[in-house]
Amino acid sequence: MKRILLYTIIITGLIFSMSACDDSILDKYPEDAMSDATFFTKAADFKTYVNGLYNNVLSNQNIVSSAENGTDNFLAEDPGSNEMQHSNSGAASETNGTWNNRYSYIRQVNYVLNSQDKLVELDDEAKQYIGEAYFIRAWHYFILLHDFGGVPYIDQVLGTESEELFKTRDSRDFVATKIIEDLDKAIDYLDWKNEGFATAPRINKQSALAFKTRVGLFEGSWEYYHGQKNTTFKVDGADGTNFLNAAVEAGEMLIAYQGTKIYKGRAGWEYYDLFNQQDYSGTKGVFLYKHMDYGLDVFGNHGAGGSSYGGGLTKSAVDNYLMADGKPESVSDVDYDYTQLANLIAARDPRMDQTLYSPARGNFADYAGQFIPVAPENQTKGPYQDITNSFTGRGGYKVFKGMRDHYVDKWGDNQDEIMIRYAEALLNYAEAKAMLGSITQTDIDKSVNVIRDRVGMTHLNMAEANAWSVTYSVAQGYDPAASNILNEIRRERRVELILENYRRTDLKRWAIYEDVVNGYKPVGAYYQEFEDFWNDDERVLAAGYAQSQLASLKLHLGQNVDVRGEYMNTLFKNADFTETGRGYYIDPNRDYLEAIPKKEIDFYEEKGGVTLEQNPGWF
């Protein structure tokens, strides 16, 4: 099978001109060779061109990512930069790579979409590749919407004299509507995965439907919650209902086709196995992914998964998991010993045991030593996270999800990257229905409970959940004014998608970013259990460490580790995270969106006499 995503296809005469007489990224136009009237007349031409667009969509993102550092999910040795905005004056940067690159990519997609009229026949094969192009344009515009809000919407290839070259910003509602329109066209044209011309790993109908649920939920919830809270980022006259309905519509269509077909790994590894595969072409519920082939110089590096990316989960994230009986801890009858990590993990949702490394699994090196691309002296050999080694992580809750289970090379591996999967779409669907007030037990059974069935987790029962006497705190990411069932869907999302880089986006669209982040000072696992192990020479030697390593592995409060209460504080060397420190901080009137780059604003003003409006709080 050909792997079209392993390389960018470069064809003589099909090279995009990336230079221009002015600085604006919108002032780009193809070379004369690109307008050859004989090209784009048949399906094969569209396939050739679209192949070259894939790499700009399928970038390495690492399914388990420390990009969540700074949120209430991840704890590292250093604070997350996104949430450390105490000293940010609000001065916009001169340039922004996301802005520049996305408009460059959009221009490339516009070229192929503007060439459809050259086709001799719009057959099923041509529809597949044109559908992929519509998906790709939607993908790039969604990134712009996510980062900047409303942006100039361009769907034509612009020349130096084009009137739209200095187009002002369209509203975020308008941009989101155009994204949905592109996805609807993609859905109409694309084949299902591994059917027709949607051979893996090409973009397919499931990918477009799932992505539509993502876009619909994102914009719908943004408009609803920011409107309810009357924030700086609200959309006047909009409540998001139309976008939530779009998410539901796409979800219904996807569920009608996909049903309960979701990947399930080995017994005891049902969830874990999903994230460490070398080929997702036949994997149920993985719709869009980047295929890796180390031999062709296309690879990822998931070795850090075994060393916890220099950090681990927060206590907040761990506390969010339901007990094994499917209930929150405050109303559960499940007993456990919080001072024993293995006992704590065993008492909760089975996905915790496949997300964190439990001491019950034994010495870590016995399982994963051959897979981790670090020197033996830097590997964790015992059953507990090595707290003193910044490479192997801090905080005690050692990440296990996404860790490679094979070895190719010290610097890379063949582990594929998931971009869109079924479980996210099911959660998008369930949340949108709950927000609309139309969710039923049947909806939950075909969404949330399909996900839970993978690991044998107790089903979510709507009537029972709504009857729980539970306090939902906004500081934990919940909506105290909402129904229990909506909050439980939020909980399910945090558990199922943990460390897949959704959390910060969720906090923003729920308009509670500052409520969760400001003043937050994360802690990790219960400390004493780790001291009892690492300061016991006999236990450490028995785990496989050398006598010469004992001194460096010992824990010394206030020196190489510290606590807040009974729990580890890996950020103790930063004054903001001491008992009297300020914790994290974002500006609630600014940091929901990024700044429009100053260079673009100046260019619009100087060359076009047009004002490109800056985002709130930036100058």
Side-chain angles (χ1 to χ4, degrees):
M1 182 186 300
K2 294 183 180 179
R3 298 295 187 185
I4 63 166
L5 307 188
L6 299 179
Y7 47 82
T8 301
I9 297 180
I10 301 174
I11 302 173
T12 303
L14 294 181
I15 305 297
F16 291 101
S17 171
M18 302 311 296
S19 61
C21 58
D22 288 310
D23 292 330
S24 173
I25 196 64
L26 296 182
D27 181 17
K28 309 293 182 188
Y29 55 95
E31 293 180 350
D32 292 341
M34 292 299 298
S35 60
D36 186 345
T38 64
F39 202 73
F40 292 125
T41 58
K42 55 186 181 299
D45 297 338
F46 282 83
K47 180 179 181 180
T48 295
Y49 189 100
V50 172
N51 283 351
L53 303 178
Y54 265 80
N55 276 3
N56 296 331
V57 174
L58 303 183
S59 58
N60 288 17
Q61 64 178 23
N62 285 345
I63 192 65
V64 180
S65 173
S66 58
E68 290 197 357
N69 187 25
T71 73
D72 53 348
N73 274 353
F74 195 83
L75 177 65
E77 186 178 15
D78 297 308
S81 59
N82 288 288
E83 286 70 35
M84 289 297 288
Q85 302 298 321
H86 300 281
S87 302
N88 191 334
S89 68
S93 61
E94 288 293 318
T95 62
N96 183 293
T98 299
W99 179 283
N100 292 343
N101 292 336
R102 295 301 153 182
Y103 272 115
S104 176
Y105 303 153
I106 288 166
R107 173 185 167 278
Q108 296 172 14
V109 186
N110 285 343
Y111 188 81
V112 65
L113 290 175
N114 292 172
S115 300
Q116 296 179 62
D117 59 348
K118 298 178 184 178
L119 262 173
V120 174
E121 179 185 7
L122 182 60
D123 57 14
D124 289 342
E125 183 178 9
K127 285 182 177 180
Q128 169 67 31
Y129 309 129
I130 293 171
E132 292 174 23
Y134 277 119
F135 177 97
I136 291 170
R137 185 165 69 183
W139 183 274
H140 293 314
Y141 267 118
F142 182 66
I143 291 173
L144 290 171
L145 175 71
H146 176 280
D147 286 4
F148 302 104
V151 295
Y153 186 84
I154 309 295
D155 60 4
Q156 301 294 317
V157 177
L158 302 183
T160 55
E161 303 302 323
S162 299
E163 291 184 6
E164 288 186 312
L165 183 61
F166 298 103
K167 191 176 186 294
T168 57
R169 295 176 67 177
D170 289 295
S171 70
R172 64 176 301 129
D173 187 87
F174 177 83
V175 174
T177 298
K178 300 302 287 186
I179 293 171
I180 294 293
E181 289 177 2
D182 273 357
L183 289 174
D184 283 339
K185 292 174 183 174
I187 291 164
D188 185 46
Y189 276 13
L190 292 167
D191 288 324
W192 298 103
K193 180 182 176 182
N194 291 330
E195 295 183 13
F197 296 97
T199 54
R202 299 201 80 91
I203 295 166
N204 47 61
K205 196 184 296 289
Q206 292 102 313
S207 298
L209 286 166
F211 190 38
K212 184 177 175 181
T213 70
R214 182 187 299 180
V215 175
L217 178 64
F218 173 81
E219 187 59 23
S221 56
W222 182 290
E223 292 185 6
Y224 176 80
Y225 289 115
H226 283 275
Q228 289 287 306
K229 201 171 179 179
N230 195 31
T231 75
T232 305
F233 308 99
K234 68 180 180 179
V235 178
D236 290 331
D239 63 3
T241 298
N242 56 325
F243 292 109
L244 295 175
N245 281 325
V248 170
E249 177 187 46
E252 293 281 9
M253 185 174 177
L254 180 59
I255 292 169
Y257 178 84
Q258 192 71 18
T260 60
K261 292 181 287 187
I262 192 168
Y263 176 80
K264 182 178 180 179
R266 300 164 292 165
W269 305 81
E270 301 91 349
Y271 178 72
Y272 172 89
D273 280 349
L274 174 64
F275 303 102
N276 63 356
Q277 297 183 31
Q278 299 179 56
D279 185 356
Y280 287 108
S281 60
T283 303
K284 297 176 183 178
V286 176
F287 302 143
L288 185 63
Y289 63 97
K290 181 172 183 177
H291 182 69
M292 303 295 183
D293 190 323
Y294 193 81
L296 294 177
D297 203 32
V298 179
F299 56 88
N301 187 354
H302 297 78
S307 52
S308 299
Y309 290 92
L313 292 193
T314 62
K315 182 177 184 295
S316 170
V318 168
D319 288 345
N320 177 72
Y321 282 75
L322 292 170
M323 306 307 293
D325 62 0
K327 298 178 181 179
E329 184 173 355
S330 62
V331 295
S332 173
D333 294 327
V334 175
D335 292 323
Y336 72 98
D337 182 356
Y338 78 96
T339 69
Q340 298 298 312
L341 182 55
N343 191 267
L344 180 155
I345 292 175
R348 304 218 176 220
D349 185 323
R351 283 170 291 187
M352 179 181 284
D353 187 45
Q354 298 178 43
T355 298
L356 298 179
Y357 190 82
S358 172
R361 294 185 183 274
N363 282 359
F364 186 71
D366 292 343
Y367 169 73
Q370 68 269 34
F371 305 135
I372 303 176
V374 297
E377 63 271 17
N378 287 328
Q379 292 182 10
T380 297
K381 297 179 176 64
Y384 296 98
Q385 188 177 46
D386 180 353
I387 304 304
T388 63
N389 190 329
S390 61
F391 187 88
T392 59
R394 301 293 181 98
Y397 293 126
K398 183 177 182 63
V399 175
F400 192 42
K401 172 183 175 180
M403 191 199 73
R404 73 162 68 166
D405 68 348
H406 64 282
Y407 183 80
V408 175
D409 184 86
K410 178 178 180 179
W411 305 113
D413 60 73
N414 286 335
Q415 196 159 303
D416 285 358
E417 294 278 9
I418 299 175
M419 300 290 161
I420 297 179
R421 63 186 183 98
Y422 191 30
E424 183 220 341
L426 292 176
L427 293 169
N428 295 342
Y429 166 79
E431 186 179 340
K433 290 221 71 173
M435 288 187 64
L436 290 167
S438 61
I439 195 165
T440 65
Q441 184 61 47
T442 299
D443 297 325
I444 293 170
D445 288 340
K446 64 185 182 183
S447 58
V448 173
N449 288 335
V450 168
I451 297 170
R452 289 192 177 189
D453 279 341
R454 185 204 290 116
V455 295
M457 177 60 179
T458 304
H459 275 194
L460 176 60
N461 181 283
M462 185 172 173
E464 291 180 5
N466 279 333
W468 290 337
S469 180
V470 177
T471 300
Y472 293 101
S473 167
V474 67
Q476 288 290 319
Y478 296 114
D479 181 0
S483 64
N484 286 12
I485 197 65
L486 178 56
N487 282 306
E488 286 305 315
I489 291 170
R490 285 193 183 187
R491 183 198 304 274
E492 187 74 18
R493 182 178 185 87
R494 190 178 180 188
V495 168
E496 174 67 21
L497 304 178
I498 190 80
L499 298 182
E500 295 179 41
N501 206 16
Y502 292 97
R503 185 61 172 172
R504 186 176 290 109
T505 295
D506 288 344
L507 300 181
K508 289 182 177 182
R509 66 182 177 85
W510 293 332
I512 58 172
Y513 192 22
E514 69 275 18
D515 296 301
V516 174
V517 166
N518 285 359
Y520 177 58
K521 293 182 281 189
V523 293
Y526 176 77
Y527 169 72
Q528 191 60 50
E529 181 179 10
F530 287 79
E531 181 181 291
D532 290 345
F533 175 81
W534 291 110
N535 288 9
D536 185 326
D537 290 353
E538 290 187 9
R539 295 178 70 185
V540 174
L541 288 171
Y545 286 94
Q547 182 77 34
S548 60
Q549 293 178 283
L550 294 178
S552 64
L553 292 168
K554 290 187 184 299
L555 303 182
H556 303 282
L557 285 174
Q559 296 179 33
N560 57 7
V561 68
D562 212 340
V563 297
R564 184 176 304 113
E566 298 179 299
Y567 298 90
M568 277 184 272
N569 173 21
T570 69
L571 303 176
F572 71 99
K573 294 180 181 179
N574 186 309
D576 283 323
F577 296 93
T578 61
E579 289 291 346
T580 58
R582 299 175 294 178
Y584 282 117
Y585 173 77
I586 61 99
D587 184 337
N589 295 312
R590 183 193 66 209
D591 293 326
Y592 277 79
L593 295 174
E594 293 187 19
I596 305 299
K598 290 182 65 176
K599 198 169 184 179
E600 287 297 313
I601 293 175
D602 293 344
F603 181 78
Y604 265 58
E605 183 67 34
E606 294 169 5
K607 301 295 184 181
V610 174
T611 298
L612 188 63
E613 184 180 356
Q614 181 57 275
N615 273 328
W618 299 99
F619 63 90

